[in-house]
Amino acid sequence: MHETGIAQSILDIAIKTALEKGAKKINNVAVKVGKMSAIDEASLRFAFDALKAETIAENATFEYIDIPLTGKCEDCGYESELEGYFVLCPKCSSGRVSILTGNELEIAYIDVD
Ligand SMILES: [Zn+2]
């Protein structure tokens, strides 16, 4: 279950950031997860909750922000939500569609005291 390693990284970064700000506890950690990062939300939440015990994040809530896969057509400029990586532009049928969002796996923000 690779979510455990990801949850640990998220927690490490959140704690480091909080300590740098002189915070005593973390109230909330918001994470942006792109549709293509293949993360299971329930597993990630479970791992985060297990790992946060006895850290300054032990009472922190975990906010999961789902980022859809979107792309932009390089030929006509049309932007749309995509079903998968290999797509044709729905407007002009061009195959030159570049990914705008959907690969994210990062902390959006943390709330600390
Ligand atoms: Zn197009």
Side-chain angles (χ1 to χ4, degrees):
M1 186 167 100
H2 74 145
E3 279 82 0
T4 305
I6 292 163
Q8 185 67 63
S9 306
I10 290 167
L11 195 59
D12 288 347
I13 295 166
I15 291 171
K16 186 169 177 281
T17 307
L19 292 175
E20 281 169 4
K21 290 181 179 176
K24 292 186 180 64
K25 65 185 179 105
I26 300 175
N27 300 320
N28 183 51
V29 178
V31 178
K32 282 195 233 175
V33 185
K35 191 179 174 186
M36 299 313 280
S37 58
I39 298 293
D40 179 58
E41 180 181 351
S43 301
L44 189 62
R45 280 184 183 283
F46 181 82
F48 183 85
D49 283 344
L51 295 166
K52 74 182 184 182
E54 292 173 26
T55 73
I56 61 167
E58 65 182 345
N59 294 314
T61 50
F62 185 80
E63 193 178 338
Y64 183 97
I65 305 170
D66 216 351
I67 307 292
L69 178 65
T70 60
K72 181 181 182 186
C73 175
E74 298 292 341
D75 287 326
C76 76
Y78 185 73
E79 293 181 14
S80 62
E81 191 164 331
L82 308 175
E83 295 299 323
Y85 274 126
F86 302 102
V87 288
L88 297 177
C89 172
K91 210 169 179 181
C92 74
S93 300
S94 164
R96 302 202 313 135
V97 176
S98 58
I99 303 301
L100 291 177
T101 66
N103 290 313
E104 293 82 355
L105 183 55
E106 62 196 31
I107 293 177
Y109 55 88
I110 62 172
D111 178 38
V112 298
D113 270 337

XYZ file of all heavy atoms in Angstrom:
856
model
N 0.850 -1.200 0.000
C 0.000 0.000 0.000
C 0.881 1.244 0.000
O 1.442 1.622 1.016
C -0.894 -0.049 1.247
C -1.911 1.043 1.311
S -3.148 0.703 2.583
C -2.560 1.736 3.913
N 1.064 1.869 -1.151
C 1.992 2.997 -1.229
C 1.443 4.268 -0.585
O 2.169 5.224 -0.377
C 2.455 3.223 -2.672
C 1.431 3.844 -3.565
N 1.749 4.724 -4.562
C 0.094 3.714 -3.606
C 0.635 5.094 -5.168
N -0.364 4.506 -4.626
N 0.167 4.271 -0.242
C -0.412 5.429 0.442
C 0.289 5.703 1.773
O 0.342 6.838 2.226
C -1.916 5.217 0.686
C -2.790 5.507 -0.523
C -2.847 4.345 -1.504
O -2.210 3.307 -1.248
O -3.521 4.485 -2.541
N 0.807 4.659 2.434
C 1.476 4.851 3.721
C 2.697 5.743 3.567
O 2.905 6.678 4.339
C 1.885 3.495 4.330
O 0.725 2.678 4.421
C 2.473 3.672 5.716
N 3.516 5.464 2.559
C 4.709 6.276 2.318
C 4.345 7.704 1.951
O 5.001 8.658 2.374
N 3.283 7.849 1.169
C 2.838 9.185 0.753
C 2.312 9.962 1.961
O 2.646 11.126 2.157
C 1.764 9.074 -0.351
C 2.423 8.515 -1.618
C 1.112 10.418 -0.629
C 1.455 7.986 -2.630
N 1.521 9.270 2.804
C 0.989 9.927 4.003
C 2.137 10.360 4.914
O 2.098 11.450 5.496
C 0.050 8.982 4.749
N 3.169 9.533 5.013
C 4.317 9.880 5.849
C 5.018 11.126 5.307
O 5.384 12.025 6.068
C 5.306 8.703 5.909
C 6.479 8.929 6.860
C 6.044 8.985 8.329
O 5.530 8.015 8.855
N 6.226 10.123 8.976
N 5.200 11.201 4.002
C 5.838 12.385 3.393
C 5.011 13.639 3.642
O 5.554 14.693 3.977
C 5.982 12.210 1.875
O 6.643 11.022 1.591
N 3.693 13.518 3.466
C 2.802 14.658 3.685
C 2.920 15.136 5.129
O 3.061 16.328 5.400
C 1.337 14.264 3.365
C 1.168 14.051 1.855
C 0.356 15.322 3.878
C -0.125 13.369 1.468
N 2.892 14.178 6.043
C 2.972 14.500 7.462
C 4.320 15.147 7.801
O 4.374 16.149 8.532
C 2.775 13.212 8.272
C 2.472 13.348 9.752
C 1.200 14.150 9.985
C 2.335 11.966 10.392
N 5.394 14.595 7.263
C 6.737 15.148 7.517
C 6.826 16.605 7.062
O 7.330 17.465 7.775
C 7.807 14.333 6.777
C 8.029 12.957 7.417
O 7.547 12.745 8.543
O 8.671 12.121 6.779
N 6.322 16.869 5.862
C 6.378 18.232 5.319
C 5.500 19.174 6.151
O 5.893 20.289 6.481
C 5.933 18.250 3.833
C 6.931 17.457 2.987
C 5.808 19.683 3.320
C 6.439 17.122 1.594
N 4.308 18.689 6.523
C 3.375 19.515 7.306
C 4.003 19.873 8.659
O 3.935 21.029 9.090
C 2.054 18.777 7.498
N 4.611 18.897 9.311
C 5.213 19.137 10.629
C 6.403 20.089 10.510
O 6.545 21.027 11.297
C 5.622 17.798 11.292
C 4.370 17.007 11.677
C 6.515 18.033 12.515
C 4.623 15.586 12.144
N 7.229 19.859 9.501
C 8.396 20.725 9.286
C 7.943 22.166 9.049
O 8.465 23.108 9.646
C 9.190 20.199 8.077
C 10.498 20.908 7.820
C 11.313 20.129 6.777
C 12.603 20.845 6.448
N 12.399 21.965 5.498
N 6.938 22.335 8.189
C 6.413 23.669 7.884
C 5.851 24.331 9.139
O 6.091 25.511 9.406
C 5.308 23.570 6.811
O 5.832 22.854 5.690
C 4.851 24.940 6.354
N 5.092 23.553 9.925
C 4.478 24.090 11.143
C 5.550 24.527 12.136
O 5.450 25.610 12.736
C 3.572 23.034 11.767
N 6.580 23.716 12.301
C 7.645 24.040 13.255
C 8.407 25.289 12.809
O 8.778 26.127 13.630
C 8.598 22.850 13.422
C 7.989 21.616 14.119
C 8.971 20.454 14.132
C 7.519 21.945 15.538
N 8.596 25.412 11.502
C 9.275 26.600 10.968
C 8.490 27.883 11.253
O 9.058 28.957 11.385
C 9.493 26.452 9.451
C 10.688 25.570 9.125
C 10.769 25.191 7.643
O 9.940 25.678 6.837
O 11.674 24.410 7.309
N 7.158 27.730 11.332
C 6.300 28.885 11.628
C 6.170 29.109 13.127
O 5.442 29.998 13.570
C 4.899 28.660 11.054
C 4.839 28.710 9.538
C 3.395 28.505 9.091
C 3.270 28.579 7.577
N 1.891 28.295 7.134
N 6.793 28.240 13.920
C 6.704 28.358 15.365
C 5.382 27.855 15.915
O 4.976 28.220 17.021
N 4.683 27.024 15.156
C 3.379 26.515 15.587
C 3.537 25.396 16.607
O 4.540 24.683 16.619
C 2.604 26.001 14.385
N 2.508 25.274 17.458
C 2.527 24.215 18.476
C 1.701 23.016 18.058
O 1.890 21.910 18.517
C 2.025 24.756 19.811
C 2.968 25.769 20.437
C 2.499 26.166 21.829
C 3.442 27.183 22.463
N 3.474 28.480 21.733
N 0.703 23.261 17.213
C -0.080 22.126 16.739
C -0.649 22.403 15.350
O -0.794 23.561 14.938
C -1.188 21.758 17.722
C -2.267 22.803 17.901
C -3.227 22.361 19.003
C -4.313 23.388 19.249
N -5.611 23.049 18.732
N -0.956 21.333 14.681
C -1.538 21.416 13.343
C -3.014 21.069 13.443
O -3.383 20.053 14.029
C -0.823 20.439 12.378
C 0.670 20.780 12.284
C -1.478 20.469 11.001
C 1.476 19.795 11.456
N -3.860 21.951 12.899
C -5.306 21.735 12.965
C -5.862 21.046 11.723
O -6.829 20.311 11.790
C -6.029 23.072 13.137
C -5.595 23.777 14.402
O -5.401 23.150 15.439
N -5.408 25.083 14.314
N -5.249 21.356 10.600
C -5.783 20.831 9.343
C -4.663 20.736 8.306
O -3.804 21.612 8.239
C -6.890 21.752 8.831
C -7.548 21.238 7.562
O -7.964 20.090 7.483
N -7.636 22.080 6.553
N -4.690 19.674 7.546
C -3.751 19.526 6.433
C -4.595 19.282 5.185
O -5.384 18.331 5.130
C -2.786 18.331 6.653
C -1.852 18.178 5.451
C -1.967 18.514 7.930
N -4.453 20.166 4.209
C -5.208 20.029 2.965
C -4.255 19.580 1.865
O -3.198 20.170 1.667
C -5.856 21.356 2.599
N -4.641 18.526 1.183
C -3.769 17.949 0.163
C -4.501 17.886 -1.176
O -5.650 17.438 -1.250
C -3.326 16.522 0.584
C -2.448 15.891 -0.483
C -2.593 16.571 1.916
N -3.830 18.365 -2.212
C -4.377 18.294 -3.563
C -3.949 16.971 -4.186
O -2.760 16.671 -4.252
C -3.796 19.415 -4.436
C -4.402 20.764 -4.208
C -4.000 21.660 -5.369
C -3.377 22.926 -4.872
N -2.860 23.771 -5.945
N -4.920 16.205 -4.633
C -4.605 14.922 -5.241
C -5.212 14.867 -6.645
O -6.424 14.899 -6.811
C -5.138 13.745 -4.395
C -4.696 12.418 -4.991
C -4.665 13.856 -2.942
N -4.353 14.835 -7.628
C -4.814 14.764 -9.006
C -5.396 13.399 -9.324
O -4.986 12.386 -8.755
N -6.339 13.410 -10.230
C -7.032 12.165 -10.602
C -6.060 11.093 -11.114
O -6.286 9.904 -10.924
C -8.056 12.493 -11.693
C -9.020 11.380 -11.989
C -10.017 11.808 -13.063
C -10.902 10.626 -13.454
N -11.773 10.956 -14.592
N -4.973 11.508 -11.768
C -4.056 10.539 -12.351
C -2.980 10.046 -11.379
O -2.129 9.264 -11.753
C -3.382 11.134 -13.594
C -4.349 11.509 -14.702
S -5.567 10.210 -15.083
C -4.547 9.141 -16.121
N -2.998 10.520 -10.150
C -1.961 10.073 -9.214
C -2.286 8.706 -8.609
O -1.470 8.136 -7.893
C -1.739 11.110 -8.114
O -2.930 11.350 -7.427
N -3.459 8.169 -8.933
C -3.821 6.805 -8.532
C -3.742 6.566 -7.030
O -3.234 5.561 -6.568
C -2.961 5.791 -9.277
N -4.247 7.556 -6.283
C -4.260 7.439 -4.832
C -5.656 7.001 -4.390
O -6.652 7.489 -4.897
C -3.954 8.817 -4.186
C -2.569 9.308 -4.571
C -4.119 8.762 -2.677
C -1.443 8.502 -4.014
N -5.692 6.099 -3.433
C -6.968 5.700 -2.855
C -7.220 6.576 -1.633
O -6.462 6.541 -0.673
C -6.921 4.219 -2.472
C -8.230 3.781 -1.833
O -9.270 3.915 -2.488
O -8.208 3.351 -0.671
N -8.284 7.384 -1.707
C -8.536 8.363 -0.642
C -8.677 7.706 0.731
O -8.090 8.167 1.706
C -9.798 9.179 -0.965
C -10.093 10.212 0.119
C -11.351 11.046 -0.136
O -11.922 10.966 -1.232
O -11.734 11.787 0.789
N -9.442 6.632 0.805
C -9.670 5.975 2.104
C -8.350 5.461 2.687
O -8.099 5.605 3.885
C -10.668 4.838 1.937
N -7.497 4.886 1.856
C -6.209 4.365 2.327
C -5.313 5.494 2.805
O -4.608 5.365 3.805
C -5.480 3.610 1.211
O -6.266 2.546 0.759
N -5.334 6.608 2.070
C -4.495 7.747 2.426
C -4.956 8.345 3.766
O -4.137 8.639 4.637
C -4.539 8.799 1.320
C -3.541 9.950 1.445
C -2.110 9.434 1.402
C -3.750 10.961 0.326
N -6.261 8.479 3.932
C -6.807 8.992 5.201
C -6.448 8.064 6.360
O -6.062 8.513 7.437
C -8.346 9.059 5.133
C -8.867 10.255 4.424
C -10.401 10.290 4.499
N -10.887 11.410 3.740
C -10.853 12.674 4.166
N -10.381 12.956 5.356
N -11.277 13.649 3.404
N -6.600 6.783 6.127
C -6.323 5.789 7.157
C -4.851 5.864 7.579
O -4.533 5.883 8.768
C -6.652 4.386 6.617
C -6.428 3.294 7.619
C -7.387 3.007 8.588
C -5.258 2.547 7.602
C -7.175 2.001 9.519
C -5.031 1.538 8.540
C -5.995 1.267 9.492
N -3.963 5.933 6.596
C -2.524 5.993 6.879
C -2.178 7.282 7.616
O -1.417 7.273 8.591
C -1.735 5.894 5.576
N -2.768 8.396 7.158
C -2.502 9.689 7.804
C -2.939 9.655 9.268
O -2.196 10.074 10.158
C -3.240 10.808 7.050
C -2.978 12.185 7.597
C -1.864 12.904 7.198
C -3.851 12.753 8.516
C -1.619 14.174 7.708
C -3.613 14.019 9.038
C -2.487 14.732 8.628
N -4.136 9.121 9.511
C -4.654 9.059 10.882
C -3.786 8.171 11.777
O -3.592 8.459 12.950
C -6.106 8.566 10.889
C -7.069 9.659 10.455
O -6.659 10.845 10.445
O -8.224 9.335 10.132
N -3.265 7.098 11.206
C -2.425 6.188 11.991
C -1.076 6.841 12.307
O -0.559 6.712 13.414
C -2.218 4.885 11.220
N -0.531 7.565 11.337
C 0.812 8.130 11.486
C 0.856 9.410 12.315
O 1.888 9.751 12.895
C 1.415 8.412 10.098
C 1.677 7.182 9.227
C 1.932 7.606 7.792
C 2.860 6.385 9.754
N -0.260 10.116 12.381
C -0.239 11.419 13.059
C -0.219 11.301 14.584
O 0.048 12.278 15.280
C -1.436 12.269 12.609
C -2.772 11.807 13.193
C -3.926 12.649 12.677
C -5.226 12.226 13.344
N -6.388 12.974 12.856
N -0.531 10.127 15.106
C -0.564 9.927 16.558
C 0.770 10.322 17.179
O 1.839 10.038 16.625
C -0.883 8.470 16.874
N 0.680 10.993 18.314
C 1.861 11.416 19.067
C 2.787 12.361 18.292
O 3.989 12.396 18.517
C 2.629 10.193 19.609
C 1.809 9.477 20.674
C 2.424 8.162 21.132
O 3.650 8.023 21.027
O 1.666 7.303 21.599
N 2.213 13.097 17.360
C 2.946 14.184 16.711
C 2.142 15.467 16.972
O 1.030 15.386 17.524
C 3.056 14.003 15.182
O 1.778 14.252 14.601
C 3.524 12.597 14.820
N 2.664 16.611 16.537
C 1.914 17.854 16.723
C 0.681 17.904 15.812
O -0.132 18.808 15.890
C 2.778 19.117 16.501
C 3.327 19.161 15.070
C 3.905 19.185 17.523
C 3.904 20.530 14.706
N 0.557 16.891 14.962
C -0.612 16.815 14.072
C -1.647 15.820 14.567
O -2.571 15.463 13.831
C -0.164 16.432 12.666
N -1.533 15.397 15.828
C -2.412 14.300 16.270
C -3.898 14.643 16.235
O -4.721 13.749 16.118
C -1.999 13.764 17.642
C -2.137 14.754 18.780
C -1.648 14.130 20.101
O -1.495 12.910 20.162
O -1.409 14.897 21.045
N -4.240 15.941 16.329
C -5.653 16.318 16.241
C -6.020 16.942 14.892
O -7.101 17.496 14.727
C -6.012 17.292 17.371
C -5.922 16.616 18.732
O -6.406 15.503 18.910
N -5.262 17.270 19.671
N -5.122 16.858 13.965
C -5.356 17.491 12.666
C -6.377 16.730 11.834
O -6.401 15.500 11.826
C -4.039 17.584 11.898
N -7.219 17.503 11.159
C -8.120 16.884 10.190
C -7.385 16.822 8.855
O -6.442 17.571 8.597
C -9.412 17.711 10.025
O -9.058 19.072 9.804
C -10.277 17.608 11.260
N -7.831 15.934 8.021
C -7.198 15.727 6.725
C -8.190 16.124 5.640
O -9.283 15.574 5.552
C -6.811 14.250 6.580
C -6.040 13.940 5.334
C -4.694 14.208 5.271
C -6.669 13.369 4.242
C -3.978 13.926 4.113
C -5.955 13.087 3.081
C -4.602 13.361 3.023
N -7.804 17.105 4.854
C -8.698 17.597 3.803
C -8.181 17.113 2.456
O -7.057 17.428 2.062
C -8.725 19.126 3.861
C -9.823 19.749 3.048
C -9.820 21.275 3.187
O -9.287 21.790 4.186
O -10.330 21.921 2.269
N -8.997 16.365 1.791
C -8.618 15.758 0.516
C -9.253 16.564 -0.617
O -10.473 16.663 -0.711
C -9.127 14.320 0.509
C -8.775 13.486 -0.685
C -7.692 12.618 -0.651
C -9.560 13.526 -1.837
C -7.386 11.811 -1.738
C -9.255 12.731 -2.930
C -8.172 11.877 -2.865
O -7.878 11.084 -3.946
N -8.422 17.169 -1.435
C -8.941 18.000 -2.532
C -8.696 17.264 -3.847
O -7.562 17.105 -4.285
C -8.250 19.381 -2.554
C -8.397 20.081 -1.196
C -8.822 20.241 -3.671
C -7.549 21.327 -1.036
N -9.780 16.803 -4.411
C -9.731 16.032 -5.642
C -9.518 16.965 -6.841
O -10.299 17.883 -7.049
C -11.098 15.357 -5.772
C -11.002 13.994 -6.365
O -9.923 13.622 -6.831
O -12.038 13.312 -6.367
N -8.466 16.736 -7.604
C -8.208 17.578 -8.778
C -8.530 16.771 -10.040
O -7.930 15.717 -10.272
C -6.730 18.029 -8.820
C -6.297 18.683 -7.501
C -6.495 18.957 -10.016
C -6.948 20.010 -7.190
N -9.450 17.253 -10.854
C -9.803 16.501 -12.063
C -8.690 16.557 -13.106
O -7.818 17.428 -13.055
C -11.058 17.210 -12.570
C -10.948 18.597 -12.043
C -10.220 18.493 -10.728
N -8.730 15.625 -14.027
C -7.786 15.638 -15.138
C -8.335 16.578 -16.210
O -9.437 16.380 -16.719
C -7.635 14.217 -15.700
C -6.707 14.070 -16.893
C -5.267 14.397 -16.504
C -6.795 12.662 -17.458
N -7.564 17.606 -16.512
C -7.989 18.524 -17.563
C -6.839 18.735 -18.542
O -5.669 18.562 -18.203
C -8.417 19.904 -17.004
O -7.307 20.487 -16.323
C -9.586 19.796 -16.045
N -7.206 19.090 -19.754
C -6.203 19.303 -20.783
C -6.561 20.474 -21.674
O -7.685 20.980 -21.656
N -5.550 20.891 -22.427
C -5.763 21.995 -23.358
C -5.282 21.578 -24.743
O -4.182 21.030 -24.892
C -4.967 23.213 -22.877
C -5.141 24.421 -23.762
C -4.313 25.589 -23.275
C -4.560 26.793 -24.170
N -3.692 27.907 -23.847
N -6.102 21.852 -25.716
C -5.740 21.527 -27.094
C -4.696 22.533 -27.593
O -4.881 23.748 -27.481
C -6.989 21.580 -27.966
S -6.628 21.329 -29.712
N -3.593 22.005 -28.125
C -2.521 22.875 -28.628
C -2.889 23.519 -29.955
O -2.263 24.476 -30.388
C -1.226 22.065 -28.820
C -0.667 21.460 -27.543
C -0.148 22.503 -26.564
O 0.113 23.654 -26.981
O -0.019 22.175 -25.371
N -3.877 22.979 -30.621
C -4.248 23.517 -31.932
C -5.329 24.590 -31.863
O -5.178 25.658 -32.445
C -4.684 22.382 -32.856
C -3.467 21.565 -33.305
O -2.385 22.175 -33.472
O -3.587 20.355 -33.456
N -6.412 24.305 -31.094
C -7.495 25.297 -31.063
C -7.626 25.986 -29.708
O -8.419 26.911 -29.555
C -8.826 24.661 -31.484
S -9.562 23.623 -30.210
N -6.871 25.520 -28.706
C -6.903 26.184 -27.407
C -8.044 25.768 -26.509
O -8.204 26.285 -25.405
N -8.845 24.811 -26.934
C -10.000 24.374 -26.149
C -9.540 23.626 -24.900
O -8.688 22.748 -24.966
C -10.870 23.460 -27.022
C -12.170 23.036 -26.383
C -13.215 23.935 -26.234
C -12.348 21.719 -25.961
C -14.412 23.544 -25.659
C -13.556 21.322 -25.384
C -14.581 22.240 -25.233
O -15.762 21.845 -24.666
N -10.109 24.003 -23.746
C -9.758 23.339 -22.485
C -10.946 22.523 -22.002
O -12.078 22.992 -22.023
C -9.399 24.375 -21.415
C -8.114 25.120 -21.732
C -7.735 26.134 -20.655
O -8.300 26.081 -19.551
O -6.867 26.978 -20.956
N -10.662 21.302 -21.545
C -11.768 20.467 -21.085
C -11.294 19.407 -20.114
O -10.091 19.146 -19.997
C -12.443 19.784 -22.271
O -11.518 18.934 -22.915
N -12.261 18.807 -19.426
C -11.941 17.699 -18.532
C -11.746 16.445 -19.400
O -12.480 16.228 -20.359
C -13.073 17.496 -17.519
C -12.686 16.550 -16.420
C -13.614 16.626 -15.201
O -14.185 17.699 -14.949
O -13.743 15.605 -14.535
N -10.742 15.637 -19.047
C -10.406 14.475 -19.867
C -10.756 13.180 -19.143
O -10.778 13.120 -17.923
C -8.900 14.481 -20.175
C -8.308 15.767 -20.752
C -6.788 15.631 -20.867
C -8.910 16.083 -22.100
N -10.970 12.143 -19.922
C -11.272 10.829 -19.343
C -9.998 10.008 -19.146
O -9.940 9.092 -18.359
C -12.234 10.057 -20.260
C -13.604 10.689 -20.393
C -14.338 10.776 -19.058
O -14.208 9.847 -18.244
O -15.014 11.796 -18.830
N -8.974 10.324 -19.913
C -7.728 9.570 -19.837
C -6.644 10.361 -20.532
O -6.910 11.428 -21.084
N -5.407 9.830 -20.520
C -4.296 10.566 -21.121
C -4.374 10.650 -22.640
O -3.976 11.620 -23.242
C -2.969 9.907 -20.750
C -2.418 10.367 -19.436
C -2.073 9.462 -18.450
C -2.228 11.726 -19.188
C -1.551 9.884 -17.235
C -1.713 12.153 -17.983
C -1.373 11.240 -17.004
O -0.863 11.652 -15.818
N -4.847 9.592 -23.261
C -4.800 9.556 -24.717
C -6.138 9.975 -25.277
O -7.073 9.186 -25.367
C -4.374 8.170 -25.188
C -3.041 7.786 -24.628
C -2.943 6.922 -23.562
C -1.880 8.359 -25.133
C -1.710 6.604 -23.008
C -0.651 8.052 -24.574
C -0.559 7.173 -23.515
N -6.231 11.245 -25.562
C -7.518 11.781 -25.977
C -7.358 12.676 -27.201
O -6.267 13.175 -27.486
C -8.166 12.633 -24.860
C -8.651 11.758 -23.726
C -7.185 13.672 -24.354
N -8.465 12.863 -27.853
C -8.512 13.816 -28.952
C -9.306 15.008 -28.472
O -10.196 14.885 -27.635
C -9.203 13.189 -30.167
C -8.505 11.969 -30.782
C -9.349 11.425 -31.928
C -7.106 12.314 -31.267
N -8.958 16.168 -28.978
C -9.708 17.369 -28.628
C -11.172 17.174 -29.024
O -11.468 16.808 -30.156
C -9.124 18.566 -29.384
S -10.122 20.055 -29.197
N -12.104 17.406 -28.063
C -13.526 17.214 -28.400
C -14.039 18.222 -29.419
O -15.081 18.033 -30.050
C -14.240 17.378 -27.059
C -13.245 17.815 -26.058
C -11.875 17.792 -26.672
N -13.318 19.303 -29.604
C -13.774 20.360 -30.508
C -13.236 20.189 -31.924
O -13.976 20.280 -32.893
C -13.348 21.715 -29.941
C -14.283 22.837 -30.307
C -13.947 24.074 -29.494
C -14.864 25.219 -29.882
N -14.535 26.438 -29.120
N -11.906 19.951 -32.047
C -11.317 19.903 -33.392
C -10.680 18.559 -33.721
O -10.072 18.396 -34.778
C -10.305 21.038 -33.566
S -8.751 20.751 -32.688
N -10.770 17.587 -32.790
C -10.233 16.245 -32.982
C -8.708 16.181 -33.105
O -8.161 15.172 -33.540
C -10.872 15.554 -34.199
O -12.253 15.456 -33.990
N -8.021 17.240 -32.702
C -6.565 17.218 -32.713
C -6.064 16.239 -31.648
O -6.688 16.061 -30.603
C -6.033 18.625 -32.404
O -4.670 18.558 -32.044
N -4.937 15.605 -31.906
C -4.350 14.713 -30.913
C -3.353 15.437 -30.037
O -2.747 14.844 -29.138
N -3.131 16.713 -30.298
C -2.139 17.476 -29.534
C -2.787 18.145 -28.317
O -2.978 19.353 -28.286
C -1.462 18.513 -30.433
C -0.778 17.887 -31.639
C 0.308 18.765 -32.239
N -0.109 20.146 -32.420
C 0.646 21.203 -32.075
N 1.821 21.025 -31.530
N 0.204 22.428 -32.276
N -3.138 17.310 -27.355
C -3.766 17.814 -26.141
C -2.762 17.682 -24.995
O -2.234 16.604 -24.752
C -5.053 17.018 -25.804
C -5.655 17.490 -24.492
C -6.064 17.166 -26.942
N -2.473 18.796 -24.333
C -1.535 18.723 -23.218
C -2.280 18.764 -21.895
O -3.353 19.354 -21.783
C -0.495 19.848 -23.302
O -1.146 21.096 -23.317
N -1.690 18.113 -20.880
C -2.326 17.996 -19.570
C -2.133 19.293 -18.775
O -1.021 19.791 -18.642
C -1.718 16.810 -18.786
C -1.854 15.503 -19.573
C -2.361 16.691 -17.403
C -3.269 15.091 -19.913
N -3.237 19.834 -18.258
C -3.165 21.040 -17.427
C -3.135 20.672 -15.942
O -2.318 21.164 -15.185
C -4.374 21.946 -17.685
C -4.460 22.639 -19.040
C -5.769 23.417 -19.114
C -3.297 23.569 -19.274
N -4.077 19.838 -15.535
C -4.142 19.410 -14.131
C -4.457 17.919 -14.084
O -4.950 17.352 -15.050
C -5.263 20.155 -13.360
O -6.528 19.743 -13.903
C -5.117 21.661 -13.447
N -4.158 17.316 -12.930
C -4.498 15.905 -12.756
C -3.331 15.078 -12.248
O -3.506 13.932 -11.844
N -2.119 15.656 -12.274
C -0.950 14.934 -11.772
C -0.518 15.404 -10.384
O 0.503 14.950 -9.875
C 0.236 15.098 -12.731
C 0.008 14.340 -14.018
O -0.397 13.182 -14.008
N 0.258 14.988 -15.143
N -1.300 16.286 -9.779
C -0.907 16.866 -8.493
C -0.846 15.838 -7.367
O -1.640 14.911 -7.302
C -1.911 17.950 -8.058
C -1.942 19.176 -8.922
C -2.792 18.997 -10.173
O -3.293 17.876 -10.413
O -2.965 19.975 -10.903
N 0.104 16.033 -6.493
C 0.128 15.325 -5.216
C 0.963 16.212 -4.314
O 2.185 16.103 -4.264
C 0.735 13.922 -5.343
C 0.714 13.127 -4.048
C -0.675 13.022 -3.463
C 1.275 11.735 -4.247
N 0.282 17.162 -3.677
C 1.009 18.168 -2.910
C 0.124 18.756 -1.820
O -1.108 18.712 -1.908
C 1.484 19.286 -3.846
C 0.317 20.014 -4.506
C 0.729 20.846 -5.713
O 1.680 20.468 -6.399
O 0.068 21.865 -5.958
N 0.766 19.344 -0.835
C 0.019 20.014 0.232
C -0.482 21.347 -0.305
O 0.301 22.133 -0.850
C 0.908 20.218 1.462
C 1.258 18.847 2.084
C 0.216 21.117 2.497
C 2.208 18.914 3.271
N -1.790 21.572 -0.198
C -2.359 22.841 -0.641
C -2.112 23.898 0.421
O -1.673 25.006 0.119
C -3.854 22.685 -0.905
N -2.420 23.574 1.659
C -2.171 24.482 2.787
C -2.301 23.703 4.080
O -2.901 22.620 4.103
C -3.131 25.673 2.782
C -4.586 25.308 2.759
C -5.299 25.080 3.937
C -5.270 25.186 1.554
C -6.630 24.727 3.909
C -6.610 24.822 1.512
C -7.284 24.607 2.693
O -8.607 24.255 2.661
N -1.744 24.268 5.133
C -1.959 23.686 6.455
C -2.448 24.788 7.375
O -2.145 25.966 7.160
C -0.690 23.015 7.043
C 0.438 24.021 7.248
C -0.224 21.872 6.167
C 1.616 23.444 8.006
N -3.248 24.385 8.367
C -3.751 25.341 9.355
C -3.119 24.982 10.696
O -3.236 23.830 11.143
C -5.279 25.246 9.408
C -5.860 26.188 10.455
O -5.329 27.307 10.604
O -6.814 25.798 11.142
N -2.432 25.942 11.300
C -1.715 25.656 12.536
C -2.058 26.666 13.639
O -2.616 27.729 13.369
C -0.175 25.713 12.303
C 0.245 24.662 11.296
C 0.257 27.105 11.850
N -1.718 26.292 14.851
C -1.849 27.211 15.987
C -0.492 27.373 16.649
O 0.289 26.443 16.696
C -2.823 26.648 17.032
C -4.247 27.114 16.726
O -4.411 28.142 16.047
O -5.180 26.422 17.161
Zn -8.735 21.405 -30.501
